[in-house]
Amino acid sequence: MSSGILVMIDRPARGQAGDGEPFRVVPADQPALRATVLAATRGDGVFETAAIRRGAVQAAAAHLARFARSAAMLDLPEPDPEVYRRAVERGIALLDDASDAAVKYVLTRGDEEDPAAGPLGWAHVHVSEDFTAARRDGISVALLSRGYALDVTETSPWLLQGAKTLSYAVNRAALREAARRGADDVLFTTTDGYLLEGPTSSVVARFGGTLVSTPPEAGVLPGTTQQGMFAYAEGLGLGTQFRDIRVAELVGADALWLTSSVRLAVPVTAVDGVPCRIDGALTAAVNAALMARTD
Ligand code: PLP
């Protein structure tokens, strides 16, 4: 089994001085982090996962911008986009096959036993899982409450909703709960009856000729794939809109998707066991366009 290419980033923050390259390639199947790194002990850090197609990162600038936004929300030093861009490029160059791959890159606050050493990061480039079947056949979802109301970003910004933090244990637990309920994935809801996003995806619904997605103000991660889908849809003459979506509106949706960088737009076939309408033609066209993106 290939474990991909691992690039440790010793000086990930803007303005960190030092000699030589700020990153180094290390064996991906060997230990690379100390047990006291805050990424491991507190989940204290941020990350991005981006698709690599035909040897290039898709939506590279949008991912780097979101990475910086997440870091700022956690009061982390600003990641140096040029260092990350070059580190990822180094990883891609060493991958046997970068035609359909992915990268996860990380910034963590550092080591709890050695705070003076400052932040540290890494980028792991690896071949992608094949999501052809999910894109074609769709997935079922379970609605699970996130346990807070739609105004969470105003009432409790310290919950960091909308930041892509390393603390994804809740997202993983939600997926296990979905599996217990016989569903493939999750659509999070608020306590006051609105849709949020999936544990690793944005939600897009079609109502007539308009695609709708949850606004970032609701505490969801601004999705780069959702943005790409909106741009493509606008080119087709469809309307696009960010607005709060009530759970009760789902029965009237003409199609529903979960969107994310690597899996792309997967149609939702059922919500809590209730079948959804599927727009096979638009799904196929959107995924072909997303796959072809070069920006
Ligand atoms: N929302 C959450 C919570 C995510 O983790 C992700 C991606 O992993 C997304 C949305 C979709 O973002 P993108 O389309 O940029 O991959």
Side-chain angles (χ1 to χ4, degrees):
M1 195 193 99
S2 161
S3 47
I5 305 294
L6 180 60
V7 186
M8 294 306 294
I9 307 178
D10 300 311
R11 298 195 304 278
R14 225 190 250 279
Q16 267 181 301
D19 294 328
E21 282 283 55
F23 53 79
R24 63 203 147 87
V25 177
V26 301
D29 57 357
Q30 300 291 313
L33 291 173
R34 284 165 49 134
T36 46
V37 71
L38 284 157
T41 58
R42 306 277 178 187
D44 190 5
V46 296
F47 76 103
E48 279 297 318
T49 297
I52 296 163
R53 300 193 213 273
R54 298 168 302 278
V57 177
Q58 290 196 302
H63 280 287
L64 284 168
R66 190 172 68 185
F67 193 46
R69 174 184 180 273
S70 295
M73 288 172 77
L74 270 72
D75 304 314
L76 283 164
E78 187 186 353
D80 188 327
E82 195 53 22
V83 168
Y84 275 87
R85 193 187 59 72
R86 288 201 299 117
V88 172
E89 263 176 19
R90 180 72 57 84
I92 292 173
L94 294 170
L95 205 59
D96 286 341
D97 179 4
S99 56
D100 191 4
V103 59
K104 177 174 181 172
Y105 54 85
V106 176
L107 172 70
T108 181
R109 207 174 297 275
D111 194 316
E112 60 186 17
E113 292 293 323
D114 187 11
L120 110 134
W122 63 92
H124 183 227
V125 181
H126 57 93
V127 169
S128 271
E129 219 179 298
D130 182 359
F131 288 110
T132 313
R135 286 178 206 132
R136 184 191 57 223
D137 305 334
I139 53 166
S140 59
V141 302
L143 295 176
L144 295 184
S145 173
R146 202 63 218 207
Y148 50 68
L150 193 62
D151 58 0
V152 67
T153 55
E154 284 159 46
T155 59
S156 321
W158 49 87
L159 291 182
L160 299 176
Q161 295 311 311
K164 199 164 170 65
T165 79
L166 292 173
S167 313
Y168 261 44
V170 167
N171 303 39
R172 308 294 285 192
L175 287 169
R176 292 193 297 275
E177 177 59 25
R180 280 191 285 273
R181 296 180 187 200
D184 301 313
D185 210 322
V186 173
L187 191 39
F188 282 125
T189 60
T190 65
T191 49
D192 44 357
Y194 290 90
L195 297 181
L196 286 169
E197 61 185 344
T200 61
S201 55
S202 315
V203 64
V204 176
R206 180 168 76 75
F207 293 99
T210 304
L211 298 189
V212 181
S213 189
T214 320
E217 295 73 44
V220 298
L221 194 72
T224 62
T225 318
Q226 167 271 311
Q227 285 155 24
M229 184 169 176
F230 271 25
Y232 174 70
E234 284 160 15
L236 292 180
L238 290 168
T240 59
Q241 195 181 25
F242 286 105
R243 67 165 174 82
D244 302 329
I245 309 168
R246 279 178 286 111
V247 174
E249 288 180 71
L250 275 180
V251 286
D254 294 299
L256 189 66
W257 296 268
L258 291 185
T259 64
S260 51
S261 296
V262 181
R263 198 172 61 173
L264 298 179
V266 291
V268 176
T269 55
V271 176
D272 282 347
V274 179
C276 298
R277 280 187 283 276
I278 295 169
D279 186 338
L282 186 56
T283 304
V286 162
N287 280 325
L290 290 172
M291 200 80 89
R293 265 191 313 175
T294 52
D295 64 333

